[in-house]
Amino acid sequence: IRRPPRSTLDRSSAASDVYKRQDLTHMLAGPYTTMILADLGAEVVKIEQPKTGDITRNLLKDDPKYSLDGIGAYHLTLGRNKKSVELDLKSDQGLKLFKELVSVADVVVDNFSQGVTKRLGIDHENLKDVNPKIITCSISGFGDTEVNRPAYDNLIQGYAGAMSITGTDKENPVKSGIPIADLGAGLYAVIGILSAIQSREKNDSGEHVDISMLDTQVSLLTYMATMHFLSGENPEPIGNQHMNHVPFNSYRTSDGFIQIGVVAEDFWPSLIEALDLKQLDTEENKLRIGRLKNRENIDQAVQKVFITKTTEHWLKILQEHRVPCGPINTLSETFQDADLLKRKMIIEVLQDSGASVKMPGNPVKISNHDEEFRRSPKLGEHTSEIFKNWLDKDISVDQD
């Protein structure tokens, strides 16, 4: 990834002008990293194996429900705003051309298994000989110090202890509904890359960013990890309840679900009034410690009320009483949220056929930054363009 001269910029960028990044990523953690950077204005070039490309190109492409114009949901989303170059890094010629691009790039991102970049000769130690200012970022399951353990999102959630505290009971551990280990690593990689760019502005030298999926999941344990170290106890899953607050749970309504969170003490009398729960208005329940003791009775009483009317009915009443509450939406309900729509978090990306596909937008909203979303690239679509623009080199790669 390279930053072009200011005169070539056609839009403002959150990534300190428009940095050029070479993208060696595949599947989810790495492509999510580079998608965010591309959304923020970086020129991201996806380096792909000739003829086959990144594995995500083929995922769901033949599924009529989850594809458009023969392109699956993975590539439609994760490939947006990027460019594609075909290079065989296992060939002498491909490796030579790759290093020529590195010589004028800013960042190289990969999420190969640990040790692969070194075997290919494209690890930081090798690439800094080509470009002393190059920033490299490697995302792996366990970081640069581990080579033996396989790493997929669910496995990392298990290793990190996240699954042991998710679900309703310790006999049935549950993984997160979204691939939080992959996505969390992607977010930390963005933080690391932007920090390294800022550091380079001061030190005039590149750095290597080493992101471990396990590290990032353990970081997300935050205060729960500290509680474990203080007590020596292993926390158990408690479903949608909270260890410190009551009532704090999800409840059935006549047509769905609702959540409430009585976190501050002054929310409790408001809840009593909103739901007309005079039988719970005791001296003991006025304090959090008392409500914790009476959690089961309180939850049962609250549930008995909520089941009588719709979610919308109860949301209106609770909001009028300023009790923290919310629905448990399906995706179709979420994507009708007025604030999401106002903030352009549901975007449409135009495809070559003239059809468009909806997907989540960029959550990083920065003043004076113009958002732009371009379709995911065809395999090798920008090979000639990138070599011409980056190196003033005419090159053609056989893509048949």
Side-chain angles (χ1 to χ4, degrees):
I1 301 159
R2 186 186 65 170
R3 181 175 61 184
R6 279 189 177 271
S7 60
T8 69
L9 302 179
D10 58 3
R11 64 190 181 109
S12 59
S13 165
S16 299
D17 297 331
V18 180
Y19 284 91
K20 284 184 164 62
R21 291 168 169 79
Q22 290 201 68
D23 181 357
L24 297 172
T25 64
H26 61 285
M27 287 304 293
L28 186 53
Y32 185 65
T33 300
T34 50
M35 182 200 78
I36 293 172
L37 294 169
D39 288 350
L40 291 174
E43 183 174 21
V44 174
V45 175
K46 192 169 182 62
I47 305 298
E48 302 192 67
Q49 182 70 18
K51 303 189 186 303
T52 57
D54 174 16
I55 189 173
T56 53
R57 284 186 175 276
N58 296 316
L59 291 176
L60 302 177
K61 71 181 182 66
D62 297 321
D63 190 316
K65 288 199 304 182
Y66 303 125
S67 65
L68 178 66
D69 298 335
I71 307 170
Y74 279 82
H75 186 57
L76 283 169
T77 308
L78 296 166
R80 73 186 187 202
N81 284 336
K82 300 179 185 178
K83 297 180 178 180
S84 174
V85 166
E86 286 183 287
L87 281 181
D88 182 2
L89 297 181
K90 295 180 180 179
S91 72
D92 292 340
Q93 177 67 2
L95 187 59
K96 178 178 179 295
L97 291 171
F98 174 75
K99 289 185 175 180
E100 287 185 41
L101 291 174
V102 170
S103 71
V104 294
D106 286 291
V107 184
V108 175
V109 186
D110 81 88
N111 64 315
F112 292 131
S113 298
Q114 201 280 334
V116 170
T117 56
K118 190 170 185 177
R119 288 198 299 273
L120 291 174
I122 56 173
D123 58 318
H124 185 75
E125 291 303 309
N126 277 286
L127 295 187
K128 74 177 184 179
D129 291 336
V130 177
N131 180 355
K133 294 185 179 182
I134 196 68
I135 292 167
T136 57
C137 176
S138 293
I139 307 168
S140 61
F142 303 92
D144 285 349
T145 57
E146 173 63 59
V147 295
N148 293 319
R149 288 186 281 181
Y152 290 100
D153 176 86
N154 64 320
L155 303 182
I156 297 298
Q157 288 192 43
Y159 273 120
M163 286 177 66
S164 76
I165 56 175
T166 305
T168 57
D169 65 87
K170 65 180 181 180
E171 301 303 322
N172 296 282
V174 177
K175 72 178 181 65
S176 170
I178 61 173
I180 189 64
D182 277 323
L183 299 177
L187 291 173
Y188 276 103
V190 172
I191 294 169
I193 290 167
L194 295 180
S195 297
I197 289 173
Q198 183 66 24
S199 176
R200 186 178 60 186
E201 296 296 321
K202 298 178 180 179
N203 303 324
D204 203 36
S205 63
E207 295 179 316
H208 177 59
V209 180
D210 171 18
I211 300 294
S212 155
M213 293 169 65
L214 179 59
D215 289 355
T216 62
Q217 286 298 281
V218 169
S219 174
L220 294 176
L221 293 174
T222 60
Y223 68 90
M224 297 194 72
T226 305
M227 290 170 62
H228 163 73
F229 288 124
L230 290 169
S231 68
E233 297 175 353
N234 287 314
E236 295 181 1
I238 56 174
N240 295 325
Q241 296 178 349
H242 194 286
M243 66 185 75
N244 293 316
H245 306 295
V246 174
F248 188 113
N249 209 340
S250 60
Y251 306 88
R252 283 190 175 274
T253 63
S254 65
D255 67 344
F257 298 91
I258 193 170
Q259 297 185 91
I260 59 173
V262 176
V263 177
E265 294 289 22
D266 57 349
F267 294 150
W268 173 248
S270 298
L271 178 69
I272 293 295
E273 182 179 340
L275 301 187
D276 193 22
L277 289 170
K278 294 184 178 65
Q279 74 273 24
L280 296 180
D281 190 15
T282 66
E283 287 299 315
E284 186 173 51
N285 285 343
K286 287 180 180 178
L287 297 177
R288 182 182 63 86
I289 192 69
R291 295 195 299 276
L292 282 171
K293 178 181 176 182
N294 299 322
R295 181 196 298 271
E296 186 174 349
N297 288 338
I298 291 172
D299 271 345
Q300 288 177 354
V302 170
Q303 176 61 84
K304 189 175 291 187
V305 173
F306 278 139
I307 197 66
T308 62
K309 298 287 174 60
T310 66
T311 299
E312 184 178 359
H313 171 87
W314 292 120
L315 287 174
K316 184 175 184 296
I317 290 177
L318 291 169
Q319 287 168 357
E320 288 174 351
H321 286 79
R322 300 188 64 80
V323 177
C325 61
I328 299 179
N329 285 336
T330 61
L331 294 192
S332 58
E333 291 168 332
T334 294
F335 298 148
Q336 296 175 42
D337 186 281
D339 285 320
L340 278 179
L341 296 174
K342 282 189 294 187
R343 292 177 60 80
K344 298 180 180 179
M345 275 306 298
I346 312 302
I347 61 170
E348 294 195 39
V349 180
L350 186 67
Q351 307 299 301
D352 280 346
S353 66
S356 64
V357 59
K358 290 184 178 181
M359 62 183 70
N362 176 15
V364 183
K365 306 299 183 184
I366 302 174
S367 60
N368 299 320
H369 177 72
D370 299 325
E371 290 189 330
E372 180 181 348
F373 297 96
R374 301 182 304 276
R375 64 162 175 81
S376 298
K378 299 174 184 177
L379 179 58
E381 178 179 352
H382 303 94
T383 302
S384 298
E385 172 193 325
I386 292 301
F387 278 97
K388 183 65 177 177
N389 291 348
W390 286 30
L391 299 169
D392 195 23
K393 190 183 187 89
D394 293 317
I395 185 173
S396 61
V397 176
D398 183 7
Q399 301 173 42
D400 297 327

